[in-house]
């Protein structure tokens, strides 16, 4: 039996380069922390942080050997539990996974070049002819292999959450990595990343010690974070005594409360708040462009504020005091409301419901837009109307982009959303409504496009679009909202399903080639949201067999069957009042798919109507 004296209580802590941490290494991750959960904003900030630091050092006339003289850059710490010969990651797997994805992207970016930095062994190692990735998680291996060899992967529908997240984050890397680093500077950047960027690796030789270190560093706040450094700077510039004590207590209370709501929420809040109220420029999309204040706030907000305190209005001791007890208190309170609206219990009648719709699409850039027009002297009603206006605007913009096959990823949208954020800062409700409405009428995307179809990459987004359309019909027909059931139902899993079975031989009168049949079958008019078990039971049936079964499902599906138009007063009143061209379909041919697609498009135009923005300020939204 092992005793306390048998356990190696040694704890090592050493700064290691990325190459030293990853090269020819193999780490396991305990089953209870295997999910990879980084969102778009986090991978974007990692890439922005690294590339901005490198660009501050690199000059076009440097030789590669000069990179060895570049200052080292500290990227954080990881905690390892060494169990015999096998290291387990206790803290840091999100960062290590993201670095592995980034290295995989950089490896593929080098293909075909004369000058290549070999980084294969930072991604995987090979023993006895067997390849294994440095982070060895079995349910990720097929995905990582495909990304390594091909640069793309289509996850099966039953793939783990981490696999879908890995694919999504990898797809964003090319848009995040600056164009000026994709040419001559690329090998320099890779050299710097692998040999000058460092992590502090803390290694314990028992799980108990490893987790004790983790808890000490996080729960007891022994890591000096950018938030800590910012607080120290602000407090140091206040009057000693009661003002400083009050500001310190409020800071701790508000930021601790945010972190209890969501992981890293306090740091995210500080970046979002400072960007929403004070950033005036973002890095231009051109070669050689340097990071501006929006970018710097994302990577070093504590340093940025030190240098920008005058422009922020921090001049006298009272300014620093009110910056915390008035401004931080106000914006953190409403940031907490935004977080709650994003992930908390769904309230279908709340003016903040649009925040949830946007959050379910993974659009975290909305948070800075939401804070931008708020002013500390706004009353609660004005604040809610502003939040509703921005939420509705973002909802309409995202729906239009999805309808037109336009990307909604963080990297694609950050520049445009920065300009909107800057332009709406501090606006009154009428001015805010007008600006946002005018913006939507100027953009190219609309619902006039009639070629929307489902494919592997947009299936999740179309699920949300169909959920909104279905829920709109449900609510307008006098029933309770079913949005959560359709998108996040715990008991019944809904999926995007085709009305037509995948049987081209049934449609030879409309199509002479199977490819034409497949393209038509994937159009929006052939799609419904149905319970997974429904599809498993009836998927291969003919339309005539399935149509009566649709009547027992949601109203969008039921509207295909004649029974929906009998003794259904709420739905019939909605059809009459909306003027939408609903009708039952006795049969479902190629022309019916087009007709249903036009119906969905007409619903979308009513559901996502820019004129609703100006109606909000008059309390006239239907």
């Amino acid at each position: 039996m092992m005793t306390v004296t048998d356990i190696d209580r040694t704890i090592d802590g050493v700064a290691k380069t990325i190459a030293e941490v990853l090269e020819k290494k193999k780490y396991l991750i305990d089953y209870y922390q295997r999910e990879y959960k980084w969102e778009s904003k986090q991978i974007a900030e990692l890439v922005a942080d690294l590339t901005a630091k490198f660009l501050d050092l690199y000059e076009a006339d440097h030789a590669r050997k000069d990179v060895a003289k570049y200052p080292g850059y500290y990227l954080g710490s990881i905690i390892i539990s060494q169990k015999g010969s096998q290291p387990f990651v206790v803290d840091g797997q999100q960062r290590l996974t993201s670095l592995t994805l980034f290295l995989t992207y950089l490896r593929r970016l080098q293909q075909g070049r004369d000058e290549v930095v070999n980084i294969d062994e930072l991604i995987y190692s090979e023993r006895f002819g067997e390849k294994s990735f440095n982070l060895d998680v079995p349910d990720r291996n097929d995905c990582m292999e495909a990304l390594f060899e091909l640069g793309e992967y289509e996850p099966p529908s039953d793939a783990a959450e981490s696999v879908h997240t890995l694919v999504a984050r990898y797809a964003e890397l090319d848009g995040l990595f600056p164009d000026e680093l994709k040419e001559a500077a690329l090998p320099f950047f890779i050299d710097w990343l692998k040999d000058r960027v460092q992590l502090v690796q803390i290694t314990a030789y028992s799980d108990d010690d490893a987790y004790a270190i983790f808890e000490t560093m996080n729960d007891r706040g022994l890591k000096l974070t950018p938030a800590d450094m910012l607080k120290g700077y602000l407090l140091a510039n206040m009057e000693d005594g009661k003002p400083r004590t009050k500001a310190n207590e409020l800071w701790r209370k508000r930021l601790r409360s945010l972190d209890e709501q969501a992981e890293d929420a306090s740091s995210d809040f500080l970046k979002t708040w400072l960007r929403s109220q004070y950033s005036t420029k973002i890095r231009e999309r051109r070669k050689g462009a340097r990071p501006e204040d929006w970018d710097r706030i994302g990577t070093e907000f504590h340093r940025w504020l030190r240098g920008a305190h005058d422009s922020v209005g921090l001049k006298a001791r009272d300014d620093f005091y009110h910056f915390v007890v008035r401004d931080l208190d106000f914006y953190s309170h409403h940031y907490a409301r935004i977080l709650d609206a994003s992930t908390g219990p769904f309230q279908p009648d709340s003016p903040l419901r649009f925040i949830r719709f946007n959050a379910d699409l993974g659009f975290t850039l909305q948070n800075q837009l939401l804070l931008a027009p708020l002013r500390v002297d706004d009353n609660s009603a004005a604040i809610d109307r502003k939040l509703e206006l921005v939420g509705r605007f973002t909802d309409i913009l995202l729906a239009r982009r999805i309808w037109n096959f336009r990307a909604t990823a963080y990297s694609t949208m950050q520049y445009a959303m920065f300009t909107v954020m800057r332009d709406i800062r501090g606006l009154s409700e009428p001015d805010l409504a007008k600006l946002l409405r005018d913006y939507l009428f100027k953009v190219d995307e609309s619902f006039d496009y009639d070629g929307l179809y489902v494919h592997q990459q947009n299936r999740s987004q179309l699920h949300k679009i169909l959920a909104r359309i279905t829920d709109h019909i449900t609510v307008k027909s006098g029933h309770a909202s079913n949005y959560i059931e359709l998108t996040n139902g715990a008991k019944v899993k809904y999926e995007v399903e085709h009305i037509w079975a995948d049987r081209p031989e049934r449609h030879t009168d409309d199509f002479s080639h199977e490819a034409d049949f497949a393209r038509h079958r994937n159009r929006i008019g052939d799609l419904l949201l149905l319970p997974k078990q429904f599809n498993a039971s009836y998927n291969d049936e003919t339309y005539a067999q399935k149509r009566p079964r649709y009547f027992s499902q949601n109203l969008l599906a039921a509207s295909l069957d004649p029974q929906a138009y009998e003794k259904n007063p709420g739905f019939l009143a909605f059809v009459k009042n909306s003027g939408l061209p609903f009708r039952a379909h006795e049969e479902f041919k190629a022309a019916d798919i087009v007709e249903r697609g036009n119906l969905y498009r007409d619903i979308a135009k009513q559901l996502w109507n820019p004129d609703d923005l100006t109606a909000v300020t008059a309390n006239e939204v239907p």
Side-chain angles (χ1 to χ4, degrees):
M1 179 177 178
M2 181 176 287
T3 66
V4 172
T5 56
D6 296 322
I7 299 173
D8 186 349
R9 293 295 186 186
T10 303
I11 295 174
D12 300 323
V14 61
K16 293 185 176 183
T17 65
I18 298 296
E20 290 171 332
V21 170
L22 294 177
E23 193 164 16
K24 296 183 179 180
K25 300 295 196 302
K26 183 178 180 181
Y27 299 94
L28 298 184
I29 301 171
D30 280 321
Y31 70 92
Y32 51 82
Q33 58 166 347
R34 281 186 179 170
E35 293 297 344
Y36 174 60
K37 295 184 177 181
W38 263 25
E39 298 175 346
S40 297
K41 65 177 181 180
Q42 291 159 314
I43 197 80
E45 288 172 355
L46 174 68
V47 175
D49 194 10
L50 291 169
T51 55
K53 293 298 179 186
F54 175 78
L55 286 168
D56 282 342
L57 303 168
Y58 172 73
E59 297 293 344
D61 60 353
H62 285 180
R64 279 184 61 186
K65 64 181 180 181
D66 293 330
V67 177
K69 302 174 186 177
Y70 288 3
Y73 180 59
Y74 170 62
L75 195 59
S77 62
I78 59 173
I79 302 174
I80 302 298
S81 177
Q82 188 74 33
K83 302 177 184 179
S85 62
Q86 181 60 62
F88 280 73
V89 180
V90 172
D91 183 42
Q93 80 106 340
Q94 302 292 325
R95 186 180 293 115
L96 288 179
T97 300
S98 299
L99 285 169
T100 301
L101 273 184
F102 192 27
L103 289 164
T104 303
Y105 165 74
L106 293 171
R107 174 189 178 274
R108 293 195 56 77
L109 192 61
Q110 294 186 97
Q111 290 183 346
R113 298 171 60 100
D114 294 332
E115 196 172 19
V116 173
V117 183
N118 184 4
I119 51 176
D120 285 10
E121 291 185 337
L122 277 67
I123 303 167
Y124 77 93
S125 57
E126 190 169 326
R127 291 184 181 179
F128 306 109
E130 292 289 328
K131 181 193 299 182
S132 59
F133 290 93
N134 53 20
L135 291 183
D136 189 20
V137 183
D139 59 10
R140 299 183 194 174
N141 285 342
D142 288 347
C143 171
M144 292 302 298
E145 179 76 23
L147 295 178
F148 183 85
E149 297 292 348
L150 305 173
E152 58 184 20
Y153 180 66
E154 289 194 7
S157 58
D158 60 348
E161 174 192 349
S162 290
V163 172
H164 290 280
T165 308
L166 285 166
V167 173
R169 298 296 82 80
Y170 183 86
E172 294 165 4
L173 286 170
D174 193 56
L176 295 170
F177 194 62
D179 289 341
E180 62 263 42
L181 295 184
K182 294 178 181 178
E183 303 299 335
L186 182 60
F188 292 74
F189 176 77
I190 297 174
D191 283 338
W192 176 79
L193 176 64
K194 66 188 284 285
D195 292 320
R196 300 305 295 149
V197 177
Q198 298 178 328
L199 294 164
V200 171
Q201 180 173 314
I202 300 170
T203 304
Y205 295 86
S206 76
D207 279 352
D208 287 346
D209 287 346
Y211 283 99
I213 296 167
F214 173 76
E215 290 173 359
T216 298
M217 292 179 67
N218 290 275
D219 292 344
R220 298 180 190 175
L222 296 185
K223 279 194 298 187
L224 200 58
T225 66
D228 294 327
M229 289 185 274
L230 177 60
K231 181 179 75 168
Y233 167 68
L234 294 170
L235 294 178
N237 283 278
M238 296 178 197
E239 287 192 23
D240 199 4
K242 289 183 178 180
R244 186 179 294 172
T245 300
K246 181 178 178 180
N248 183 46
E249 290 175 353
L250 187 142
W251 178 288
R252 292 174 57 188
K253 177 183 177 183
R254 296 303 306 140
L255 268 62
R256 183 186 299 119
S257 176
L258 288 173
D259 282 332
E260 288 171 356
Q261 276 189 268
E263 186 176 357
D264 294 329
S266 62
S267 177
D268 289 342
F269 157 67
L270 291 170
K271 296 173 189 177
T272 303
W273 167 40
L274 295 174
R275 279 173 164 173
S276 74
Q277 299 303 310
Y278 304 109
S279 63
T280 58
K281 292 183 179 180
I282 190 171
R283 182 181 175 275
E284 295 180 14
R285 299 174 179 176
R286 60 175 177 82
K287 186 174 182 179
R290 295 297 183 181
E292 299 289 356
D293 52 11
W294 188 92
D295 311 280
R296 291 190 59 213
I297 290 170
T299 57
E300 49 179 17
F301 55 81
H302 57 299
R303 293 192 187 95
W304 170 82
L305 189 62
R306 281 176 177 265
H309 64 89
D310 270 349
S311 61
V312 169
L314 300 177
K315 298 177 181 179
R317 291 188 179 276
D318 278 354
D319 298 331
F320 286 86
Y321 174 73
H322 289 112
F323 190 71
V324 175
V325 300
R326 181 191 62 202
D327 297 359
L328 179 139
D329 187 38
F330 174 82
Y331 287 103
S332 64
H333 172 73
H334 293 292
Y335 190 80
R337 295 183 66 212
I338 290 168
L339 291 182
D340 189 56
S342 298
T343 59
F346 179 62
Q347 299 179 39
D349 297 324
S350 168
L352 308 190
R353 64 191 181 277
F354 301 95
I355 297 174
R356 176 58 175 268
F357 300 145
N358 302 327
D360 282 351
L361 286 167
F363 194 69
T364 55
L365 282 167
Q366 73 163 329
N367 293 352
Q368 62 182 354
L369 298 179
L370 290 160
L371 288 184
L374 304 188
R375 297 185 298 212
V376 293
D377 56 352
D378 285 336
N379 61 41
S380 58
I383 289 168
D384 280 2
R385 283 192 292 269
K386 288 183 177 183
L387 293 174
E388 180 178 0
L389 284 166
V390 176
R392 280 182 180 270
F393 161 80
T394 308
D395 181 37
I396 295 168
L397 182 66
L398 294 178
R400 283 183 171 188
R401 290 185 68 87
I402 293 167
W403 198 274
N404 288 270
F405 297 104
R406 298 292 302 278
T408 60
Y410 188 100
S411 56
T412 304
M413 299 287 285
Q414 66 181 21
Y415 192 91
M417 293 302 96
F418 162 77
T419 61
V420 174
M421 177 199 73
R422 182 192 59 197
D423 293 346
I424 66 175
R425 185 174 292 148
L427 288 186
S428 65
E429 298 160 66
D431 290 343
L432 177 62
K434 183 179 185 305
L435 187 147
L436 296 177
R437 179 182 178 277
D438 290 349
Y439 183 97
L440 290 171
F441 279 112
K442 290 176 183 176
V443 297
D444 294 334
E445 299 85 19
S446 72
F447 293 109
D448 291 330
Y449 176 65
D450 63 358
L452 181 60
Y453 64 91
V454 66
H455 55 81
Q456 185 63 39
Q457 282 70 44
N458 75 346
R459 182 176 290 269
S460 175
Q461 291 183 321
L462 278 194
H463 187 134
K464 305 300 191 306
I465 293 291
L466 287 168
R468 294 292 306 287
I469 289 173
T470 305
D471 181 61
H472 178 69
I473 298 167
T474 303
V475 172
K476 292 298 183 181
S477 297
H479 303 289
S481 170
N482 60 353
Y483 171 78
I484 293 298
E485 176 189 355
L486 294 169
T487 55
N488 301 285
K491 295 181 179 179
V492 179
K493 181 177 176 59
Y494 280 78
E495 294 184 340
V496 177
E497 303 293 358
H498 295 83
I499 296 171
W500 275 358
D502 192 10
R503 298 290 294 271
E505 68 275 9
R506 295 176 182 171
H507 302 274
T508 53
D509 54 338
D510 281 321
F511 307 101
S512 56
H513 298 287
E514 288 188 12
D516 294 332
F517 160 79
R519 279 192 294 270
H520 208 75
R521 179 173 178 263
N522 283 330
R523 290 174 66 120
I524 185 71
D526 192 54
L527 305 178
L528 296 168
L529 284 186
L530 296 169
K532 184 176 182 179
Q533 63 267 31
F534 181 98
N535 186 55
S537 301
Y538 308 119
N539 180 48
D540 202 43
E541 290 186 345
T542 65
Y543 174 73
Q545 292 172 312
K546 286 196 286 187
R547 193 195 67 219
R549 306 187 196 279
Y550 287 148
F551 179 65
S552 64
Q553 299 300 315
N554 57 69
L555 276 173
L556 186 63
S559 67
L560 289 164
D561 190 80
Q563 298 175 84
Y565 302 85
E566 302 171 4
K567 298 180 181 179
N568 199 347
F571 175 63
L572 292 175
F574 164 64
V575 172
K576 179 180 179 181
N577 294 332
S578 66
L580 292 166
F582 277 94
R583 75 172 182 89
H585 291 257
E586 294 288 347
E587 58 179 1
F588 210 67
K589 311 287 283 184
D592 294 273
I593 288 180
V594 173
E595 183 182 331
R596 282 282 287 190
N598 291 336
L599 169 65
Y600 289 9
R601 185 179 60 185
D602 290 344
I603 298 170
K605 287 181 178 181
Q606 291 189 8
L607 175 55
W608 290 289
N609 184 357
D611 287 332
D612 287 346
L613 294 170
T614 50
V616 168
T617 56
N619 294 317
E620 294 175 353
V621 178

